[in-house]
Amino acid sequence: MSKGNASAAAPLVKASNGDALIEIHDLNKHFNLGGGQILKAVSDVNLKIGRGETLGIVGESGCGKSTMGRTVMRLYEPTSGNVMFDGKSLYDLKGSEMKAVRRDMQMIFQDPYASLNPRMTITDVIGEALDIHKLAGSRAERKKKVESLLDVVGLNPDHATRYPHEFSGGQRQRIGIARALAVQPKFIIADEPISALDVSIQAQVVNLMQDLQRKMGLTYMFIAHDLSMVKHISDRVAVMYLGRVVELAESSELYANPAHPYTQALLSAIPIPDPDIEAERERVELKGELPSPINPPSGCPFRTRCPLATEKCAKDTPALAELKKGHFAACHYASV
Amino acid sequence: MATIETKQGQAVDPQGLTKADFQKLDHSEKKGEVVVRESISAWKDAWLRLRSNKYAMASLIILLLIVIMALIGQSISGHDYRSQDYMATNEKPSSNHWFGTDDLGRDVFARTWMGAGISLQVGLYAALVDLVIGVIVGGIMGYFGGKVDEILNRICDILYSIPNMLIVILLIVVLEPSMFTIVLALSITGWISMAWIVRGQIMQLKNQEYVLASRSLGAGSGRILFRHLIPNAIGPIIVTLTMTVPNAIFSEAFLSFLGLGVQSPAASLGTMINDALKAMTVYPWRMLFPAVLISLTMLCFNIFGDGLRDALDPKMKK
Amino acid sequence: MERILEVKDLRVNFKVRGGTVQAVRGVNFHVNKGETVAIVGESGCGKSVTAQSLMRLVPSPPAVTTGSIKFKGEEILTKSLRQMENIRGKEMGMIFQDPMTSLNPTLTIGKQIMEGLVKHQGLSASAAKQRAVEMLKLVGIPNPESRVNQYPHEFSGGMRQRGMIAIALACNPSLLIADEPTTALDVTVQAQIMNVMKDLQVKFGTSIILITHDLGVVADVADRVIVMYAGKVVESGKTRDIFKNPKHPYTRGLLESVPRLDQKKDEPLIPIYGTPPDLIKPPAGCAFAARCKEAMRVCLPNDPALVSVEGEDHRAACWLNHELAHPISSEGGESA
């Protein structure tokens, strides 16, 4: 499988060269909870992802990163905004056009136990993708295709007749990846694909994903709360807080020079597996609690917990501004 | 360290291990990734769990025996359930009439199994009608949700609020008592609880990630409903069914007891009990056998249903 | 140093259909007064079962527990249920991964803290309530006077875990067992909780057993580390030794498979291939051999003993530490 040299050799196409596969414009997704309560899960998100690029999305639970992924996948209809996918306006597509686009964009899910139908054999789980898009002419061809997909993700094709519960978490996640690959997509949204896995297995899955990206020229949106892993796999990283993107930069830049006070706190909270470094590290401890997305603070969403907050922050919502080439932050007082 | 000795020019440790034991293994020499446990489907797993439940298995066997006897009981007694023998009315159980005879001299053994057959048929048909209507309506409510769910739910509420027995009795009186009318009457409101159970299941399941995965592959509603949602709701559906059967049998017996059941010369267990009631103190066996059989049937269905629930959904146990 | 806990040859077997799962297979370790010992390992390695058996919380049947657990010189495994009730909560406290399911939703947080105080320390209701408020203040819950009367659902995830800690520490136990206390929490909240635990340990001198899979957390808080694999201890020692000079390939594998925030980008992850063995039929020799890059002929039939290796109180169960083996640290090793 992976020859160890994970992403080093990958020719990376950056979004900045103008050829974006996905363009997200002013995306909003609100949920009406009834009783006049509106949960603003995603607010005014603008992002581009270039062909062959991996964009990492990080943030804590409730920041809207999963909802954003599912809305881009059109599993949810947006409240407003637009997504251009490969030149097509995603939310305007109907019936068969949409079905055709579904072949090009796929999703890998978080929970390897809930993401496979327990009543289906592995052949049927993966074969469903082939059936829906009529990619296999005969049963024999279907079987052959499923087996070759299992081989691609490093599973024994002889196990195709088994049921999901007979596999370990890491193996199930590979099955989920094989299902996504069955339709030969261009773009994959991975929604916390490794957070339910053991650490030694996480590396297997991440290496597999990087391998596949290189071989098939895939574009990834990698959603996770594990910032170390996101840094490892992503070319660029967007940090979300209360439904908004608060910082966006190339991953090495973001981790070396975090500009937004939230990003700074987030990075400093992550423990590093080295006792010598841990002993000397100073933490920026965030005060208070994450505000409710039903009733977010006025102005900057982070101001209630921010050490830099002033009156200006309560009045004006800071826009995502370019601080230096390719490094954006939504903060009145951010500087690089 | 001093623990290493040298024998014939080879280093040997106290356990007798030599340098050769510490050679690196090739990849092929290690055992690869093996799935040790036997491959079993969810169904087989449930069957294994059910099989280990003694009470449920005993109930299943008794139920099967009752079904077999309902099919062949009349023929092995040597008496027809209809043929009257005025020379032998109200006889005690004997070698000729195993369960005795009734006031018209008909063989109680033959009639009991005939009645059991009718009762089981009523239960079965009522359950089938519940199944079809309940799963379709419940599936639609759960899957589409929103307005559709709201409207159908209110209709169910209204139907459910009408006293059940009232409609049933009314309907039977209007339509003439027969097995068809009894099943029809029982089904008018019977499917509602099935629909609610299916609805709840589907609502829970439709946000599972495997359903989202299927949707993101481009699957339509039909595929999602029939490939993903209903197969995963099948456990509670079957359990509800096994509880519906005894309820229908019970209702039929109750209606027959009121004289609204199947009409003579045919018999159900309920009508037999009703007939025997008049002479209960004098000829108790006429009531005893059908009463015991109906109780046994109900008990077995309930125990079996319980066992089935535990087997299909071990999380629900206790 | 005073040992408050000494575990010898602990074995826990679970009867299941089709055999017996040997969840814990002969575990030896000890905990000194006032120190934090981390037990690390992947899911299914027996770390949680070990922790639960310390408080006799493993349901028996189906579990059969043998061996010896000496707590403050007294054998735990032979105590009656009644005696155990007096130890639980009073002498040993426990906090769990999911603060929602481990708190009683029908009682206020205050009542749940008071429960132990009234039962074990015979405090009056008013004194216990006062102490409950103090405890909430200690774990950093704002407005403890009003919070004490609130129910668990009125608390956020992080606040619930603080409440859980307050309950566990209310009677000032000498040992706190924390089973994945921060796994369900976001990183910024995790940092807060770990700080609370560190502060309270200094204040009360409590010994802590921390069960976790997060090596970063271990590096941050643990004095000593016990690494478990397939129901056995494969390595134990001082935190620094474990991280800087691991003597078991599994420990090394764990450290190599997680990306580090402070790493330069694109150093590939080195996964541990394969999955842990099925403990219904554990292998005869070293349980890790099938996944081990360094496996030798001796490893398949012979289970290595936990022996002292370089470093104070540092032990490892690996044949590579045998005099006849090539040393574990040398790259490539020698060919015999």
Side-chain angles (χ1 to χ4, degrees):
Chain A
M1 252 190 5
S2 152
K3 278 174 240 84
N5 200 5
S7 65
L12 297 169
V13 188
K14 298 285 183 274
S16 48
N17 69 10
D19 183 24
L21 179 65
I22 287 255
E23 289 178 43
I24 302 169
H25 295 295
D26 297 318
L27 190 68
N28 281 279
K29 175 65 192 170
H30 301 168
F31 292 98
N32 193 344
L33 303 180
Q37 286 191 314
I38 291 179
L39 189 151
K40 294 180 179 169
V42 177
S43 300
D44 305 326
V45 168
N46 285 286
L47 289 169
K48 282 183 188 175
I49 312 176
R51 287 174 200 277
E53 188 190 25
T54 301
L55 176 71
I57 310 283
V58 295
E60 297 179 276
S61 46
C63 75
K65 55 190 192 299
S66 281
T67 306
M68 203 256 289
R70 287 176 183 188
T71 313
V72 171
M73 197 67 216
R74 210 181 170 187
L75 290 173
Y76 299 150
E77 292 295 319
T79 306
S80 68
N82 189 20
V83 169
M84 296 296 289
F85 177 80
D86 213 1
K88 290 181 276 271
S89 177
L90 191 67
Y91 302 123
D92 296 332
L93 299 177
K94 303 223 165 52
S96 60
E97 294 171 321
M98 189 60 217
K99 193 171 163 185
V101 169
R102 291 240 178 262
R103 266 194 71 177
D104 289 335
M105 48 199 297
Q106 276 303 304
M107 194 150 185
I108 302 171
F109 293 87
Q110 170 176 10
D111 185 345
Y113 291 85
S115 60
L116 305 178
N117 186 341
R119 304 251 171 211
M120 282 183 166
T121 62
I122 300 314
T123 309
D124 287 336
V125 166
I126 300 173
E128 181 174 32
L130 304 173
D131 299 343
I132 290 171
H133 295 285
K134 305 197 169 55
L135 300 178
S138 63
R139 284 203 77 78
E141 193 190 342
R142 183 176 185 260
K143 184 164 174 274
K144 222 179 102 197
K145 282 198 165 165
V146 168
E147 284 175 354
S148 79
L149 281 163
L150 285 174
D151 190 51
V152 166
V153 297
L155 287 174
N156 185 346
D158 297 343
H159 292 167
T161 54
R162 288 173 178 263
Y163 287 87
H165 68 107
E166 296 169 57
F167 293 86
S168 67
Q171 291 170 326
R172 284 157 175 253
Q173 205 54 298
R174 286 168 190 267
I175 295 166
I177 294 174
R179 169 176 59 194
L181 292 177
V183 292
Q184 295 169 309
K186 295 176 183 154
F187 175 57
I188 290 182
I189 298 179
D191 186 3
E192 305 249 13
I194 52 166
S195 58
L197 304 177
D198 276 316
V199 281
S200 75
I201 311 292
Q202 288 183 355
Q204 293 179 13
V205 172
V206 164
N207 282 1
L208 172 67
M209 284 182 64
Q210 289 188 316
D211 237 34
L212 294 171
Q213 179 170 44
R214 241 174 316 147
K215 281 185 199 144
M216 307 181 179
L218 294 168
T219 303
Y220 286 142
M221 180 191 275
F222 190 91
I223 302 170
H225 65 263
D226 179 343
L227 280 84
S228 323
M229 201 54 101
V230 169
K231 177 190 178 219
H232 177 81
I233 196 172
S234 307
D235 301 310
R236 289 188 304 143
V237 175
V239 182
M240 284 183 77
Y241 186 81
L242 275 187
R244 291 175 183 277
V245 174
V246 295
E247 187 159 4
L248 169 68
E250 287 195 10
S251 69
S252 49
E253 164 71 11
L254 183 92
Y255 288 84
N257 302 310
H260 196 284
Y262 176 64
T263 313
Q264 289 163 1
L266 203 56
L267 289 177
S268 95
I270 299 162
I272 290 172
D274 184 326
D276 293 348
I277 293 176
E278 273 305 309
E280 284 166 19
R281 268 177 101 207
E282 288 281 329
R283 289 238 150 80
V284 188
E285 197 175 309
L286 274 185
K287 300 278 171 284
E289 302 268 306
L290 187 73
S292 158
I294 294 168
N295 193 10
S298 65
C300 173
F302 186 59
R303 71 175 168 86
T304 51
R305 306 170 75 188
C306 182
L308 307 176
T310 62
E311 270 176 41
K312 187 183 180 195
C313 303
K315 280 191 216 120
D316 307 330
T317 308
L320 203 59
E322 189 159 15
L323 303 173
K324 69 181 192 195
K325 193 163 169 30
H327 191 158
F328 301 80
C331 176
H332 297 305
Y333 302 101
S335 57
V336 178
Chain B
M1 262 185 266
T3 51
I4 304 291
E5 295 170 30
T6 310
K7 283 179 190 162
Q8 295 151 5
Q10 262 206 330
V12 177
D13 90 330
Q15 290 164 279
L17 297 170
T18 64
K19 197 91 187 160
D21 288 315
F22 289 88
Q23 262 174 31
K24 215 167 156 176
L25 287 173
D26 294 341
H27 191 67
S28 58
E29 289 176 273
K30 297 179 211 171
K31 278 172 244 160
E33 215 166 297
V34 274
V35 180
V36 178
R37 291 181 207 196
E38 186 198 356
S39 165
I40 43 173
S41 71
W43 290 116
K44 197 170 167 202
D45 191 48
W47 167 241
L48 289 175
R49 256 197 301 271
L50 183 67
R51 213 173 54 180
S52 63
N53 183 336
K54 275 177 283 183
Y55 299 105
M57 286 315 285
S59 302
L60 180 63
I61 290 167
I62 294 173
L63 285 175
L64 286 177
L65 285 177
I66 292 176
V67 170
I68 291 170
M69 285 305 289
L71 292 173
I72 63 164
Q74 294 175 63
S75 45
I76 60 171
S77 72
H79 297 279
D80 187 65
Y81 74 95
R82 282 173 304 195
S83 60
Q84 305 175 353
D85 180 357
Y86 293 109
M87 306 306 291
T89 57
N90 292 325
E91 268 189 21
K92 281 188 182 164
S94 65
S95 59
N96 186 19
H97 295 289
W98 296 335
F99 287 1
T101 59
D102 68 1
D103 52 354
L104 296 174
R106 295 177 295 196
D107 184 52
V108 174
F109 184 83
R111 287 182 69 73
T112 301
W113 294 117
M114 149 83 193
I118 300 262
S119 293
L120 285 172
Q121 279 180 54
V122 169
L124 193 72
Y125 294 144
L128 278 179
V129 177
D130 282 8
L131 175 75
V132 173
I133 303 178
V135 167
I136 291 174
V137 176
I140 290 171
M141 285 199 282
Y143 183 70
F144 293 101
K147 285 253 153 54
V148 181
D149 178 40
E150 190 90 357
I151 293 166
L152 285 172
N153 221 343
R154 287 298 87 76
I155 294 175
C156 289
D157 278 339
I158 293 167
L159 279 177
Y160 206 71
S161 66
I162 304 170
N164 191 10
M165 270 300 154
L166 218 64
I167 319 181
V168 172
I169 290 170
L170 203 71
L171 210 77
I172 293 171
V173 169
V174 174
L175 291 181
E176 298 290 304
S178 74
M179 190 154 83
F180 173 76
T181 38
I182 292 176
V183 171
L184 180 76
L186 290 177
S187 303
I188 281 186
T189 56
W191 56 271
I192 294 175
S193 33
M194 174 67 86
W196 276 336
I197 282 182
V198 173
R199 170 181 178 268
Q201 285 291 317
I202 301 285
M203 288 207 150
Q204 245 178 44
L205 292 171
K206 74 175 176 182
N207 290 319
Q208 290 280 321
E209 287 185 341
Y210 61 80
V211 178
L212 292 179
S214 185
R215 278 178 60 198
S216 51
L217 283 169
S221 299
R223 173 180 281 273
I224 288 173
L225 206 51
F226 291 105
R227 282 295 186 82
H228 294 289
L229 297 176
I230 290 175
N232 280 289
I234 209 97
I237 290 175
I238 290 180
V239 172
T240 312
L241 269 188
T242 57
M243 297 300 182
T244 307
V245 177
N247 278 343
I249 292 176
F250 187 83
S251 301
E252 185 275 334
F254 178 73
L255 290 170
S256 300
F257 191 73
L258 294 180
L260 296 169
V262 291
Q263 299 298 298
S264 201
S268 75
L269 295 173
T271 50
M272 289 180 68
I273 294 171
N274 185 28
D275 290 345
L277 187 68
K278 300 159 209 156
M280 187 174 75
T281 47
V282 197
Y283 314 116
W285 59 87
R286 282 178 50 198
M287 178 177 251
L288 180 73
F289 294 108
V292 166
L293 190 62
I294 199 166
S295 306
L296 191 66
T297 311
M298 306 266 298
L299 184 70
C300 287
F301 264 111
N302 282 321
I303 293 175
F304 179 67
D306 253 8
L308 208 56
R309 186 193 54 211
D310 293 348
L312 288 169
D313 191 356
K315 277 165 280 166
M316 265 166 71
K317 198 173 181 179
K318 267 139 214 169
Chain C
M1 228 183 298
E2 193 192 333
R3 286 190 176 184
I4 71 155
L5 183 78
E6 179 120 39
V7 175
K8 283 212 170 111
D9 198 31
L10 181 70
R11 287 168 195 275
V12 183
N13 292 334
F14 288 92
K15 272 230 165 339
V16 295
R17 201 175 54 222
T20 304
V21 175
Q22 303 173 31
V24 179
R25 306 189 291 147
V27 160
N28 296 288
F29 70 95
H30 68 270
V31 177
N32 295 325
K33 191 168 169 20
E35 75 172 343
T36 300
V37 175
I39 304 182
V40 298
E42 299 177 272
S43 45
C45 74
K47 58 187 194 297
S48 282
V49 176
T50 303
Q52 284 165 16
S53 43
L54 299 180
M55 277 178 98
R56 295 260 307 275
L57 290 174
V58 187
S60 167
V64 180
T65 308
T66 58
S68 155
I69 299 170
K70 282 229 163 66
F71 176 66
K72 290 182 157 177
E74 290 181 51
E75 178 58 53
I76 290 287
L77 288 181
T78 55
K79 287 218 180 301
S80 69
L81 282 180
R82 207 193 188 113
Q83 288 169 316
M84 274 320 292
E85 274 174 26
N86 283 326
I87 290 175
R88 290 180 195 149
K90 186 181 176 192
E91 300 280 343
M92 289 188 202
M94 188 150 186
I95 51 183
F96 299 91
Q97 175 173 349
D98 184 351
M100 193 62 226
T101 53
S102 46
L103 288 169
N104 183 341
T106 62
L107 289 178
T108 63
I109 294 284
K111 283 255 165 60
Q112 297 186 55
I113 301 176
M114 288 159 62
E115 212 171 12
L117 291 166
V118 173
K119 185 179 168 193
H120 297 306
Q121 303 196 332
L123 292 188
S124 68
S126 62
K129 183 142 191 180
Q130 208 179 345
R131 178 102 175 100
V133 174
E134 278 169 35
M135 284 309 302
L136 289 182
K137 195 184 262 167
L138 272 177
V139 296
I141 292 183
N143 311 322
E145 292 83 3
S146 57
R147 285 290 208 166
V148 78
N149 293 322
Q150 289 188 337
Y151 290 89
H153 71 263
E154 297 172 87
F155 283 58
S156 70
M159 285 296 158
R160 273 184 219 134
Q161 200 57 296
R162 286 171 196 255
M164 205 47 227
I165 295 173
I167 295 170
L169 291 180
C171 294
N172 196 6
S174 9
L175 178 65
L176 176 68
I177 302 167
D179 189 355
E180 305 264 7
T182 59
T183 305
L185 307 174
D186 283 316
V187 276
T188 57
V189 183
Q190 165 174 293
Q192 294 170 349
I193 297 290
M194 292 322 296
N195 280 349
V196 168
M197 285 180 57
K198 279 195 274 187
D199 286 352
L200 292 177
Q201 180 170 38
V202 172
K203 230 168 247 165
F204 292 110
T206 320
S207 305
I208 298 180
I209 295 180
L210 176 70
I211 318 284
T212 183
H213 66 270
D214 187 333
L215 295 166
V217 171
V218 174
D220 183 15
V221 302
D223 299 310
R224 281 194 303 125
V225 182
I226 294 164
V227 184
M228 283 187 72
Y229 185 78
K232 291 194 166 194
V233 175
V234 294
E235 185 163 4
S236 68
K238 291 221 178 313
T239 305
R240 203 171 177 285
D241 286 333
I242 297 285
F243 279 85
K244 296 291 178 181
N245 189 18
K247 287 291 183 189
H248 195 287
Y250 177 63
T251 316
R252 275 204 307 176
L254 281 182
L255 287 166
E256 282 169 350
S257 61
V258 288
R260 287 172 50 160
L261 264 191
D262 56 338
Q263 247 167 7
K264 290 278 164 279
K265 200 178 146 58
D266 289 343
E267 282 176 51
L269 300 180
I270 306 168
I272 305 174
Y273 289 104
T275 42
D278 191 335
L279 292 179
I280 279 194
K281 232 173 96 187
C286 174
F288 188 61
R291 301 174 74 188
C292 181
K293 286 178 203 137
E294 324 253 358
M296 300 171 294
R297 211 158 268 168
V298 66
C299 304
L300 291 181
N302 303 297
D303 199 9
L306 194 64
V307 294
S308 289
V309 292
E310 189 185 328
E312 184 198 341
D313 212 7
H314 189 180
R315 293 157 160 268
C318 177
W319 287 114
L320 287 170
N321 299 308
H322 193 277
E323 291 149 85
L324 292 173
H326 57 85
I328 188 169
S329 47
S330 78
E331 284 304 314
E334 62 178 285
S335 49

